[in-house]
Amino acid sequence: MAAPPANRFVYIDAAALHSVLPFPALISHLRTGLPAFAAGIHCPHRVSFPLPTAPSASLLLMPSWSAHPSLPYLALKAVTSFPANSPRFPSVHAAVSLFDSASGVPLASLDGSALTLVRTAAVSALAARPPSTLALAGAGALAPYLAEAHLSALPSISRILIWNRTKAKSAALAARLRDAHPGVAVEEVDSMDEAVSVADVVSCATGSQEPIVRGELLKPGAHLDLVGSFTPAMRECDDEALRRGRVFIDFEAAMQEAGELVGALQRGVLRREDVAGTLAELAAGSVAGRRSDDEITVFKSVGTAVVDLLAAQLAYETYIATITKKT
């Protein structure tokens, strides 16, 4: 996708972003863009600053840039975390600034919270296998996006199981999905064990510090998607899941940031060479995905600015094309 001329600065809010980033288009863009551009995208490690303005508040900065003629952009995502906000309003907010990487000219500001939810869910769906039953652990802000992304990429899904510690949230998510997809059976379950034992794809988006997925319960051929953890203290599955599964990661940062992997490496359960490949390698076909119908696969995503840049590119170029047609 060639970049349009930088002739105006635009703001892309959440509603506009959802309009220009439907899951089929975004998943397709990542499937082609990751193998083509990932190696050439510069993505320094995210930087975090504690803020004295509120209890436990922090600012996180995630830059990325590319000089490729088909991806001539520089992006900076700023994320604020204010835990004391809850339950009045969300504790995490984000904004993405997009620049021309050749001139430094500002091009756009995008709703970073919406962008993060959409691109995270798209990455999970891109890495999944065709299932009939999807299990969701967690009913927070990301959960409906994960459901929609999987349903978009994997139309074979006919049943969704939802587990959440707070029953009111799982009930609200179930009702939302039933209304949106009357042809899909959506059920709440009382235990994660119940969901794991029958699901073809298990997608977890929680802040848990203790395993909620027991690997011994994964059925042959299951795919485990781990999205929630992003620090060494967080953990959504036990070591047995990693022993039984063939492990893939979104990017190398997962090896240092994901509690499941950091702990497994320390305990000798997993070696770096046991990790089969990255998302870009899977998308490119340079590493094999599932090798048999019974093979269990595990995908761990921590998210990086590489995907932010690709998602921002598609949002910006589609938005500019849309408003150009109108004028």
Side-chain angles (χ1 to χ4, degrees):
M1 181 180 291
N7 56 2
R8 64 187 298 180
F9 181 86
V10 296
Y11 173 60
I12 306 177
D13 63 15
L17 191 140
H18 288 133
S19 176
V20 297
L21 286 186
F23 280 119
L26 179 56
I27 291 169
S28 176
H29 183 62
L30 294 177
R31 182 177 287 113
T32 57
L34 282 169
F37 302 124
I41 296 176
H42 300 272
C43 183
H45 197 274
R46 64 192 81 188
V47 181
S48 180
F49 301 93
L51 299 176
T53 56
S56 302
S58 61
L59 169 68
L60 186 71
L61 299 178
M62 299 171 63
S64 59
W65 62 88
S66 165
H68 194 286
S70 294
L71 188 65
Y73 299 111
L74 181 159
L76 176 64
K77 182 161 79 171
V79 182
T80 58
S81 176
F82 282 65
N85 283 357
S86 299
R88 293 177 296 153
F89 41 87
S91 59
V92 178
H93 297 269
V96 174
S97 297
L98 190 68
F99 304 82
D100 184 306
S101 61
S103 66
V105 172
L107 300 174
S109 177
L110 302 91
D111 186 307
S113 298
L115 184 79
T116 300
L117 292 169
V118 171
R119 63 87 153 147
T120 302
V123 164
S124 288
L126 178 59
R129 61 169 295 228
S132 61
T133 300
L134 168 68
L136 295 174
L142 182 57
Y145 290 85
L146 286 168
E148 294 294 345
H150 281 88
L151 286 165
S152 173
L154 306 165
S156 60
I157 294 173
S158 60
R159 184 186 185 200
I160 299 177
L161 306 176
I162 303 170
W163 174 85
N164 192 70
R165 288 192 175 94
T166 305
K167 293 296 182 66
K169 287 187 176 181
S170 58
L173 176 59
R176 174 176 173 175
L177 293 176
R178 288 188 193 107
D179 288 343
H181 302 279
V184 177
V186 182
E187 307 167 33
E188 301 164 63
V189 294
D190 293 327
S191 74
M192 194 56 198
D193 284 359
E194 177 185 350
V196 171
S197 64
V198 298
D200 302 301
V201 172
V202 180
S203 186
C204 304
T206 73
S208 182
Q209 296 189 354
E210 298 294 333
I212 56 174
V213 172
R214 292 198 293 150
E216 65 178 331
L217 298 178
L218 290 166
K219 71 179 192 178
H223 175 73
L224 175 60
D225 173 46
L226 304 169
V227 179
S229 74
F230 54 89
T231 74
M234 303 169 75
R235 191 180 176 202
E236 293 186 303
C237 76
D238 61 11
D239 288 343
E240 186 62 18
L242 302 180
R243 286 193 189 96
R244 295 188 65 203
R246 188 157 172 255
V247 179
F248 297 86
I249 56 177
D250 59 346
F251 294 94
E252 193 63 32
M255 301 305 299
Q256 289 80 46
E257 297 177 4
E260 299 91 348
L261 303 182
V262 172
L265 287 168
Q266 292 173 344
R267 291 185 290 272
V269 174
L270 188 73
R271 301 168 300 170
R272 177 60 188 86
E273 55 266 33
D274 293 329
V275 176
T278 66
L279 183 64
E281 291 169 332
L282 277 171
S286 57
V287 298
R290 182 178 305 278
R291 297 171 300 186
S292 71
D293 290 342
D294 289 341
E295 184 173 57
I296 294 171
T297 52
V298 178
F299 177 67
K300 176 57 205 164
S301 170
V302 294
T304 77
V306 171
V307 182
D308 289 329
L309 184 63
L310 288 169
Q313 175 204 14
L314 181 61
Y316 172 68
E317 294 181 8
T318 305
Y319 186 82
I320 289 293
T322 301
I323 61 176
T324 300
K325 286 181 181 178
K326 292 180 179 179
T327 57

